[in-house]
Amino acid sequence: MKKIIVKGGKKLSGEVSISSAKNAVLPIIAASILNGEKTTIIDAPMLQDVFVITDVLKSINADINIDRINKKIVIDTSKVISGEPDSELVRKMRASFLIMGPMIARFGRFKISLPGGCNIGSRPIDLHLKGFTSLGAQVSFGYGHVEAYASKLIGNKIYLDFPSVGATENIMMAAVLAEGETVIENAAGEPEVQDLAEFLNSMGAQVSGAGTDTIRITGVKELRSTSYKPIPDRIEAGTFMVAAAITKSKLRINGAREEHLNPIIAKLREIGVCMEKGENSIIVDGDNEFKHVDIKTMPYPGFPTDMQAQMMSLLSIVEGTSIITETIFENRFMHAGELKRMGANIKIDGRSAIIEGVERLTGSEVKATDLRAGAALILAGLAADGYTKIGDIYHIDRGYVSIEEKFLSLGADITRIEE
């Protein structure tokens, strides 16, 4: 079993380059089904989740070449069939469900197992299915799977009860080949949704309004081959910003886009972290006095739930009482118990975590309960006295490219071992 060991107490310095966004590239890979031709993804992040979704596409006969050295993925979907994808692969990752919209759009029928993913709370697919039904699909459930059929998809007005990122993306992909205009109201506005729209348009789709709460899609008859580079990963950037803060260090984070990070930047500045914009970078100086803050996770442009755990690690050593309220997922405080093993003083009250800052954390043996929890434990380990041994690091590998190598380049004492 692989583990990551972190020895805390070292200041970091230097610069780190941010990889392309996991949450942008996954729907882009799914959308490659739509053109029935070749799609080239440039500067693709070499992550476990990327390998899983490409394997899902391979299971329906896509031809995929992954060049790990040059970080390029070439996907040929000309021979994709409408059969059911490998159920074991689909259950590994929730994002696998994103192929349903493209498959219905292209073939008119599709059957898929119900998806899996991190155990961070209920993430129902009802909004996805509501969208497909509004476009004219008939949806039915069987034992452990869902199936949809449509002789023809027709554009419609769709209101989402919650601005779900996955539902917005899936409906958008289904609608690009539908007849007429589709309007998605109360749509998610995350940068990854905007990036998917840009990708679809690069294939010849007509999508406008992405980034606002109303997205308009005018259906086209066919899409073409394209080459595309996804946006940088704002959550990875945020994680390294917190790393600078928690170690009282100064780091240059290359590739970070300030416009995607505004809620994270605002909270870090409120805490007392100094930041300035460089050329295609953000310089973060954490050598300052910090003060406690309250955080409430919200859909974009609010504070991202994917940064909640990392901020909890930082606030656990900030004097005073901080409160984090999680409004997106009801089961996303599992990392609190692991931080408490390291000496953090955290009390969970429903959807709120009450954090009393302690003077220092102490290295301990902990487990990554999900992807972002794993990142939070690395951050806590960087600030803790002694050694922190983190297990279940396969969660971390789902979303962070070469995380220990990047921290090593900044001067951290971090290593991966096999036990």
Side-chain angles (χ1 to χ4, degrees), residues 125-140:
I125 57 171
D126 58 315
L127 294 179
H128 301 241
L129 303 181
K130 173 185 176 181
F132 300 150
T133 302
S134 296
L135 294 174
Q138 296 178 3
V139 175
S140 62

Side-chain angles (χ1 to χ4, degrees), residues 288-334:
N288 203 357
E289 291 297 317
F290 293 161
K291 60 182 180 181
H292 58 91
V293 299
D294 293 341
I295 294 172
K296 185 176 184 179
T297 65
M298 296 288 285
Y300 188 85
F303 192 89
T305 180
D306 279 353
M307 281 299 302
Q308 176 256 107
Q310 299 92 310
M311 291 295 283
M312 187 180 291
S313 291
L314 173 59
L315 293 173
S316 68
I317 56 170
V318 173
E319 185 179 355
T321 303
S322 300
I323 299 174
I324 296 178
T325 303
E326 173 61 57
T327 72
I328 310 298
F329 297 120
E330 74 277 8
N331 194 28
R332 206 166 196 181
F333 283 143
M334 291 188 290

Side-chain angles (χ1 to χ4, degrees), residues 225-255:
S225 178
T226 191
S227 180
Y228 195 80
K229 180 180 177 179
I231 57 173
D233 195 317
R234 62 193 172 104
I235 305 303
E236 183 188 17
T239 300
F240 280 100
M241 291 163 73
V242 174
I246 205 168
T247 59
K248 300 285 187 178
S249 305
K250 188 174 184 178
L251 299 177
R252 179 187 292 272
I253 301 169
N254 295 323

Side-chain angles (χ1 to χ4, degrees), residues 26-41:
L26 296 179
I28 285 170
I29 291 171
S32 70
I33 293 168
L34 289 162
N35 63 17
E37 296 184 19
K38 279 190 178 179
T39 298
T40 302
I41 302 173

